[in-house]
Amino acid sequence: MLRTILKYGVIAGVIVGGFELLTFVVFSGMPPLKYGMVIGYTTMLIALSAVFVGIKRHRDVDRGGVIGFWAALGVGVGISFIAGIFYVAAWEAVQAMTHMDFASSYAQAIIASQKAKGASAEALAKLSADMEAFKVQYADPMYRLPMTFAEIFPVGVLVSLVSAGLLRNSRFLPARRG
């Protein structure tokens, strides 16, 4: 089981990390907010398809075609955890390589978005103060690293839950007998 978790976790991690690096190269920095979230979460789902494949392989090859929900969920969460570590490492690499100040760019984009929606001067002042506090927090790796991990890991848990629910049924995509 550990071998499956490591193998498919690394596959998912390389995919999500590679796409993350590629996105910032293509956009020469941070993509616009409206595209960044779509690109990011779509990439996560593509990479985390390795959770489904890893659970299925574990069920079909290592467990004779049968796996319980909890065992399948454990494999999926393990794969998601490894992918999350790669995601965090790729984000840190992007920041180091591009010398990007994500917190400032993010704060500016959020403030501009609220200005465009016609937010009051008072609301903008409060938002600006909140964004300044965010920039200070984000500069601390003990805040930034878990926050980055928390972007991908819940998606991995969701994919793991769905995959475990489907693959616990041995009749769902049964192993091919050659």
Side-chain angles (χ1 to χ4, degrees), residues 7-141:
K7 177 181 177 181
Y8 288 94
V10 168
I11 289 169
V14 167
I15 292 169
V16 76
F19 270 111
E20 192 171 4
L21 291 167
L22 183 65
T23 298
F24 282 85
V25 168
V26 167
F27 283 96
S28 300
M30 191 170 97
L33 270 183
K34 62 183 175 180
Y35 302 123
M37 287 184 67
V38 171
I39 292 167
Y41 284 102
T42 301
T43 300
M44 287 179 201
L45 286 172
I46 291 167
L48 290 168
S49 66
V51 167
F52 182 88
V53 175
I55 294 171
K56 183 171 181 344
R57 187 211 176 276
H58 184 62
R59 178 193 76 177
D60 295 346
V61 175
D62 301 334
R63 305 219 15 182
V66 178
I67 193 167
F69 176 81
W70 294 109
L73 182 62
V75 171
V77 168
I79 292 168
S80 300
F81 184 82
I82 301 295
I85 291 170
F86 273 75
Y87 180 78
V88 171
W91 179 245
E92 290 298 307
V94 163
Q95 295 227 50
M97 291 180 342
T98 63
H99 304 291
M100 175 181 63
D101 182 2
F102 169 78
S104 292
S105 299
Y106 178 75
Q108 289 170 0
I110 295 296
I111 292 167
S113 169
Q114 291 304 307
K115 274 185 187 175
K117 290 180 182 176
S120 69
E122 182 180 290
L124 288 173
K126 179 174 178 349
L127 180 61
S128 293
D130 291 346
M131 289 292 107
E132 286 303 316
F134 169 73
K135 288 193 259 185
V136 170
Q137 286 178 312
Y138 201 78
D140 179 4

